[in-house]
Amino acid sequence: MTVHRIRIDHSRALAEEPGTGHNRWHPRIPPILHCDPGDEVVMGTRDALDSQIGPGSTAEQVANTDLSVVHPLTGPVHVEGAEPGDMLEVEIVDVEPVGGFGYTIQVPGFGFLRDDFPEPHIVRWDIDGGWTISADLPGVRIRGTPFMGVMGVAPSGELLARVHAREQELGERGGLVLPPDPDGATPYTDPVASEGLRTIPPRENGGNMDVKQMSAGTTVRFPVFVDGALFSAGDAHFAQADGEACGTAIEIASSFSFRVRLRKGEAADSNVSDVHFTTRADSHPHPAGHNRSYYATTGICVDERGRQEAENLNLAARNALLNMIDHITRNHRFDRQQAYALCSVAVDLKVSQLVDAPNVIVTAFLPTDIFV
């Protein structure tokens, strides 16, 4: 096994080190590293707002943040041998905070309760020894379970076009979408700047999933859409509740360590087009109970016709559940009605994030110890 390192200067914004990453999704973004299946990668990652928020930041500064640079990602990483139809496995080894500072902000117009909380707000956190406290929330101490808010692979040209079309149609219906915008884009060259997908919502390629269970010990499975997979990550969180209600977690810069593996042809053979993941019994936090391992599926707000809906929890839950039923029937030799019954008695549905419009994410957790 080879260990690769991608070093960044955490004091500099992505635009000052454009060779270290990107903040749009596009298949034409060149890789900054090549690795083999089985290799480990250690990469530095910037915080979600690309160093605009610091220990001295105020609510007024929050109101004036430049959202065009969200999210600065490190990558892409080209995985040798990865082809469309494969499944890329990313085993999360560690997510370590860098700098001892984190923040939680409320940006006007963003968050689940954005109509009820129109004013900017900031909580500044001091991180030390696996815990964090804040003078802005006195009497509170939060235990850290760091994870990456954004992990994903490059979309294919076909997926890129499909997402553009469905999100444009949703915008015309009045749904909240963020169309391509070259302002703030890295790389600032075409076609990436003019066509690249904004990183705010999660999609089939992963992206801004904000699933807190994707911490150390979890293995995340991404369907591969382009040669090399082109994996990227960023937007680390020190801690977050399911839902991420106000739109941010405890946002941090990080050092992210992971291993990559390939399952040749599995996405195509199993007709998997969304992100799945597994948690170990010793990973934390658990969706229910303790000392259990889980297989989990995700669901976003795109219906069976490919139509994009806006912030539709029912649709996301339906998709997560249907993905889990497919998994059970493929891997445990039950028919669909048996799998549906099993979901009703053993599978937990959790709202992982409510805020990354237009796609909220619901996750379905299947405890693996029920099978005897």
Side-chain angles (χ1 to χ4, degrees), residues 9-75:
D9 185 343
H10 286 95
S11 68
R12 303 176 71 190
L14 174 61
E16 299 176 273
E17 288 190 320
T20 63
H22 57 101
N23 59 19
R24 302 292 190 269
W25 294 112
H26 197 282
R28 297 279 293 276
I29 298 174
I32 65 171
L33 177 73
H34 287 69
C35 72
D36 292 316
D39 286 355
E40 182 172 328
V41 179
V42 182
M43 61 166 60
T45 72
R46 296 173 170 88
D47 70 88
L49 286 170
D50 207 358
S51 303
Q52 295 181 79
I53 302 296
S57 293
T58 64
E60 182 180 4
Q61 287 174 283
V62 169
N64 294 315
T65 52
D66 179 5
L67 299 182
S68 71
V69 299
V70 174
H71 300 88
L73 306 181
T74 304

Side-chain angles (χ1 to χ4, degrees), residues 202-203 211 274-277 296-302 312-324 349-353 359-364:
R203 302 180 181 90
V211 177
D274 295 287
V275 174
H276 294 197
F277 62 97
T297 57
T298 63
I300 59 175
C301 309
V302 178
N312 188 325
L313 265 178
N314 284 345
L315 179 55
R318 174 185 174 85
N319 286 335
L321 194 58
L322 287 171
N323 287 337
M324 179 57 73
L349 290 175
K350 297 183 72 67
V351 179
S352 291
Q353 63 83 8
N359 280 319
V360 301
I361 274 193
V362 171
T363 45

Side-chain angles (χ1 to χ4, degrees), residues 162 165-167 204 302-309:
R162 183 155 33 104
R166 75 193 188 200
E167 292 186 1
E204 293 89 335
V302 178
D303 69 17
E304 66 275 8
R305 301 165 297 173
R307 190 183 200 221
Q308 178 79 64
E309 298 295 345

Side-chain angles (χ1 to χ4, degrees), residues 258-274:
F258 60 93
R259 299 187 187 98
V260 294
R261 292 184 293 270
L262 274 180
R263 290 177 173 263
K264 296 297 295 181
E266 183 172 305
D269 293 344
S270 300
N271 195 32
V272 173
S273 58
D274 295 287

Side-chain angles (χ1 to χ4, degrees), residues 45 92 94-96 144-151 208-216 218 234-241 244 249-250 252 254 256 284-285 352:
T45 72
I92 301 167
D94 202 4
V95 181
E96 299 179 71
T145 307
F147 70 98
M148 303 309 300
V150 177
M151 293 184 290
N208 190 28
M209 297 176 288
D210 290 329
V211 177
K212 74 176 186 179
Q213 288 82 11
M214 292 181 181
S215 54
T218 296
D235 181 34
H237 297 168
F238 183 72
Q240 179 200 294
E244 198 188 21
I250 299 179
I252 57 171
S254 83
F256 174 37
H284 178 85
S352 291

